Structure formats: structure tokens, C-alpha cells
Amino acid sequence: MTKEGNKSYLLGITGSIGSGKSTVSKLFSELGAVRISSDEIAKQFTDPNTPIQKELVQIFGDTIIDSKGVPIKSKIAEIAFSQPEKLQAMNALIHPLVRKEFRLQLEKIPPGNIIAWEVPLLFETDAHTICDGKLCVTVSPEVAWERVKERGGMTKEDFEKRNLAQMDLEKKKALSDFIIPNDNSIEELKKNIKSVYETIRNTAKDMR
């Protein structure tokens, strides 16, 4: 099954910012899949107790640390998405750490499962090469921005910069095995996810 040695079906889930990747991966888990989020793993490396604070300061400078000695996530993002070389340096630092933690989580999962792995940069980091299937969540730019705006913490300019830093959505779709639109109702989304889940279950049976 997975190319990481776990005899399960590894589904890589990606999409643009605000497409609803987390919602999709959580709905897969409700059907019985095991969910792993690379975003949630990565956040621990910019949290107050980050083990790589020294390295982050080396990349971005002292201005990313507040008066209490805590990294300012919004400042890191602002610099990273304005200066491509710093974004590249941060990714080179964090991605191997995220992949290591992902492998540790993967090893704990019993064989025979469907694993819903949420990876924003699925293709950009070559994470798709270890997946059995790839799924792209799609949404219109207008809907995506409305969702991001509701969450708060990001300007329209930052939103657009982050989108530009990722692979073009059409290319992601072309590289994916499954495409799920997320512009419509939650009921429609659940229906589409269940269809993909059943297809994967049948595929996984054939792979055993």
C-alpha cells in the first residue's frame, strides 16, 4: 500500500488556501479514515515553545519575536510571502521536521486503514510520491477569500501572495486522482466525499 511501509491506503489531500482541506480531511475521518494534518504538525514549529526559534530568527531577524520572547506568526508570514528566498529557507527548515513527525504518526497506525493526509504543498514538496491517491479540493477564489476573511488574521494582499506561492490550481487538479468541489452545500460535500471513500475502499481491497 503506502510507499512508507504502512499497509494502508494513503490519500494526499490538497487544494488552494480557503478551499476547505481541513473540513474534507475531517469528514473522511468521520467515515472511518485516520486523519493526519501537515498544517497542524507544522504549527508546533512556530508556536511559543518552538524548538527552532533560533533558526527562525536567523532567517527572519529579531523583529519576529515579541516582547515576551514569543514568535509572531503573522510577522513570519508577512516576511516569508514577501521575500521568496526567506520562504524557501523556512520551508527547507520546517518541511523535513514535518515529514519526520508524519512518519512517526504513520508508524502508529494499524495496517488496513485509509489515511486522510492533509498536505497544502502536496505536489510542491513531492509528498505525492509516497501517496496511493491524490485528492484536490477546489473552490472559486471569491469563496476562498470569504472563508479566509471570516477566519481573520490575513489581509487580501497576504491571501493573494500565498496563493501565488503555491502551484497553480489547474495543475494540481491535473495531477490528482480525485477532485472534490467545495463551493456548494455541506450535504453535497459529504456526498462527494463518501463516493470517493467508497471508491478507495474498493481499490484498497484489490491492492491487498
Side-chain angles (χ1 to χ4, degrees):
M1 296 291 226
T2 81
K3 300 172 182 66
E4 292 286 280
N6 183 303
K7 293 184 178 179
S8 293
Y9 186 103
L10 182 60
L11 177 69
I13 299 172
T14 192
S16 58
I17 300 166
S19 61
K21 298 178 293 295
S22 294
T23 299
V24 168
S25 63
K26 287 172 183 175
L27 288 172
F28 267 104
S29 71
E30 288 181 11
L31 292 171
V34 179
R35 177 177 179 264
I36 300 178
S37 170
S38 285
D39 253 2
E40 290 174 10
I41 295 172
K43 281 175 184 174
Q44 66 182 290
F45 297 110
T46 51
D47 279 343
N49 296 320
T50 174
I52 58 168
Q53 180 164 313
K54 181 180 177 181
E55 289 85 349
L56 289 173
V57 170
Q58 287 175 344
I59 295 171
F60 297 105
D62 294 330
T63 59
I64 65 162
I65 305 299
D66 68 15
S67 58
K68 296 179 181 177
V70 176
I72 308 169
K73 291 186 179 183
S74 59
K75 188 68 177 177
I76 293 173
E78 178 189 334
I79 297 172
F81 290 100
S82 297
Q83 302 182 45
E85 71 282 0
K86 292 190 183 296
L87 176 61
Q88 186 176 5
M90 181 178 72
N91 287 342
L93 172 65
I94 292 178
H95 286 159
L97 299 172
V98 173
R99 185 63 67 88
K100 181 180 179 181
E101 177 59 27
F102 160 74
R103 289 192 175 111
L104 291 174
Q105 291 189 23
L106 190 67
E107 287 172 6
K108 297 174 183 176
I109 299 171
N113 277 284
I114 293 172
I115 302 166
W117 183 26
E118 181 191 334
V119 197
L121 301 180
L122 179 69
F123 298 111
E124 293 91 332
T125 60
D126 289 332
H128 68 286
T129 60
I130 65 170
C131 293
D132 298 296
K134 288 86 66 181
L135 184 151
C136 183
V137 186
T138 67
V139 69
S140 69
E142 295 78 19
V143 171
W145 166 238
E146 284 303 315
R147 289 177 180 162
V148 170
K149 187 166 63 172
E150 283 177 16
R151 292 200 299 252
M154 192 185 301
T155 65
K156 182 72 178 292
E157 184 181 5
D158 287 340
F159 169 75
E160 291 173 347
K161 283 180 180 177
R162 292 190 189 205
N163 268 324
L164 287 172
Q166 293 190 4
M167 180 183 288
D168 178 72
L169 183 61
E170 290 304 313
K171 190 170 182 181
K172 286 185 179 182
K173 287 165 62 177
L175 292 169
S176 297
D177 302 296
F178 307 99
I179 298 170
I180 289 185
N182 190 19
D183 292 280
N184 303 312
S185 67
I186 188 68
E187 290 76 18
E188 185 71 17
L189 180 63
K190 287 180 177 179
K191 179 182 175 183
N192 289 331
I193 289 171
K194 187 174 182 181
S195 176
V196 171
Y197 183 79
E198 293 299 330
T199 298
I200 290 173
R201 281 216 312 176
N202 291 330
T203 301
K205 287 176 185 176
D206 294 339
M207 291 172 69
R208 288 173 189 165

